[in-house]
Short mmCIF file of all heavy atoms in Angstrom, two decimals:
data_model
loop_
_atom_site.label_atom_id
_atom_site.label_comp_id
_atom_site.label_asym_id
_atom_site.label_seq_id
_atom_site.Cartn_x
_atom_site.Cartn_y
_atom_site.Cartn_z
N GLN A 27 -10.88 -1.25 -36.27
CA GLN A 27 -10.48 -1.62 -37.62
C GLN A 27 -9.14 -2.36 -37.64
O GLN A 27 -8.89 -3.17 -38.52
CB GLN A 27 -10.40 -0.37 -38.48
CG GLN A 27 -11.75 0.33 -38.65
CD GLN A 27 -11.60 1.70 -39.27
OE1 GLN A 27 -10.50 2.17 -39.54
NE2 GLN A 27 -12.72 2.37 -39.48
N ASN A 36 0.56 -0.72 -28.18
CA ASN A 36 0.37 -0.82 -26.73
C ASN A 36 1.52 -1.56 -26.06
O ASN A 36 1.87 -1.27 -24.91
CB ASN A 36 -0.96 -1.52 -26.42
CG ASN A 36 -2.15 -0.60 -26.59
OD1 ASN A 36 -2.00 0.62 -26.69
ND2 ASN A 36 -3.33 -1.18 -26.65
N GLU A 51 14.96 8.47 -13.40
CA GLU A 51 15.06 8.81 -11.98
C GLU A 51 16.34 8.25 -11.37
O GLU A 51 16.95 8.88 -10.50
CB GLU A 51 13.85 8.28 -11.22
CG GLU A 51 12.58 9.08 -11.46
CD GLU A 51 11.38 8.49 -10.73
OE1 GLU A 51 11.46 7.32 -10.28
OE2 GLU A 51 10.37 9.19 -10.62
N ALA A 54 19.06 10.61 -12.27
CA ALA A 54 18.96 11.85 -11.51
C ALA A 54 19.40 11.65 -10.07
O ALA A 54 20.09 12.51 -9.49
CB ALA A 54 17.52 12.37 -11.55
N GLY A 61 29.63 14.12 -9.12
CA GLY A 61 30.04 15.06 -10.14
C GLY A 61 30.17 14.37 -11.49
O GLY A 61 30.15 13.14 -11.57
N GLY A 74 23.82 6.83 -3.58
CA GLY A 74 23.75 5.65 -4.43
C GLY A 74 22.88 5.94 -5.63
O GLY A 74 22.88 7.03 -6.19
N THR A 114 20.29 -4.04 -20.39
CA THR A 114 21.69 -3.81 -19.99
C THR A 114 21.73 -2.97 -18.72
O THR A 114 22.54 -3.22 -17.82
CB THR A 114 22.46 -3.09 -21.10
OG1 THR A 114 22.51 -3.93 -22.26
CG2 THR A 114 23.88 -2.76 -20.66
N TYR A 126 26.41 0.50 -3.11
CA TYR A 126 26.22 1.69 -2.28
C TYR A 126 25.35 1.42 -1.05
O TYR A 126 25.59 1.96 0.03
CB TYR A 126 25.62 2.82 -3.12
CG TYR A 126 26.62 3.42 -4.09
CD1 TYR A 126 26.52 3.23 -5.46
CD2 TYR A 126 27.72 4.15 -3.61
CE1 TYR A 126 27.45 3.76 -6.34
CE2 TYR A 126 28.66 4.68 -4.48
CZ TYR A 126 28.53 4.48 -5.84
OH TYR A 126 29.47 5.00 -6.69
N ARG A 175 -8.98 11.13 -35.50
CA ARG A 175 -10.11 11.03 -34.57
C ARG A 175 -10.86 12.35 -34.50
O ARG A 175 -12.09 12.40 -34.56
CB ARG A 175 -9.61 10.62 -33.19
CG ARG A 175 -10.70 10.61 -32.11
CD ARG A 175 -10.10 10.21 -30.75
NE ARG A 175 -11.07 10.35 -29.69
CZ ARG A 175 -12.02 9.47 -29.42
NH1 ARG A 175 -12.14 8.39 -30.16
NH2 ARG A 175 -12.86 9.66 -28.42
N MET A 195 -6.96 18.50 -25.79
CA MET A 195 -5.90 17.56 -25.41
C MET A 195 -4.77 17.54 -26.43
O MET A 195 -3.60 17.39 -26.07
CB MET A 195 -6.48 16.16 -25.22
CG MET A 195 -7.49 16.04 -24.08
SD MET A 195 -6.84 16.58 -22.47
CE MET A 195 -5.57 15.37 -22.17
N SER A 225 -8.25 26.89 -27.17
CA SER A 225 -9.01 25.65 -27.01
C SER A 225 -9.70 25.58 -25.66
O SER A 225 -10.84 25.12 -25.55
CB SER A 225 -8.07 24.44 -27.18
OG SER A 225 -7.57 24.35 -28.49
N ILE A 248 -12.51 21.16 -17.00
CA ILE A 248 -12.20 22.55 -17.35
C ILE A 248 -11.26 23.16 -16.31
O ILE A 248 -10.30 23.87 -16.65
CB ILE A 248 -13.48 23.40 -17.44
CG1 ILE A 248 -14.34 22.93 -18.62
CG2 ILE A 248 -13.15 24.88 -17.58
CD1 ILE A 248 -13.71 23.15 -19.98
N ALA A 258 1.82 26.32 -17.58
CA ALA A 258 2.54 26.47 -18.85
C ALA A 258 3.06 27.90 -19.00
O ALA A 258 4.19 28.11 -19.46
CB ALA A 258 1.62 26.11 -20.02
N ASP A 267 12.61 34.64 -19.46
CA ASP A 267 13.36 35.60 -18.65
C ASP A 267 14.64 35.01 -18.07
O ASP A 267 15.38 35.71 -17.37
CB ASP A 267 12.48 36.12 -17.51
CG ASP A 267 11.20 36.78 -18.02
OD1 ASP A 267 11.20 37.24 -19.18
OD2 ASP A 267 10.20 36.80 -17.27
N LYS A 276 15.95 24.59 -5.65
CA LYS A 276 16.85 23.51 -6.04
C LYS A 276 16.75 22.34 -5.08
O LYS A 276 16.82 21.17 -5.49
CB LYS A 276 18.29 24.02 -6.11
CG LYS A 276 18.54 24.99 -7.25
CD LYS A 276 19.97 25.51 -7.22
CE LYS A 276 20.23 26.50 -8.36
NZ LYS A 276 21.60 27.06 -8.31
N MET A 278 14.10 21.42 -3.42
CA MET A 278 12.86 20.69 -3.72
C MET A 278 12.97 19.92 -5.02
O MET A 278 12.47 18.80 -5.13
CB MET A 278 11.69 21.68 -3.77
CG MET A 278 11.26 22.17 -2.40
SD MET A 278 9.71 23.11 -2.41
CE MET A 278 10.30 24.67 -3.05
N LEU A 294 4.64 21.60 -14.34
CA LEU A 294 3.90 21.46 -15.59
C LEU A 294 3.47 20.01 -15.79
O LEU A 294 2.34 19.73 -16.16
CB LEU A 294 4.75 21.93 -16.77
CG LEU A 294 4.05 21.93 -18.12
CD1 LEU A 294 3.03 23.06 -18.20
CD2 LEU A 294 5.06 22.06 -19.26
N ALA A 309 -14.27 13.43 -19.23
CA ALA A 309 -14.38 14.88 -19.49
C ALA A 309 -15.75 15.22 -19.97
O ALA A 309 -16.30 16.29 -19.70
CB ALA A 309 -13.32 15.31 -20.51
#
Side-chain angles (χ1 to χ4, degrees):
Q27 296 169 357
N36 283 346
E51 285 178 345
T114 297
Y126 287 110
R175 175 181 173 80
M195 296 304 294
S225 294
I248 293 295
D267 302 335
K276 291 177 181 177
M278 286 190 283
L294 184 72

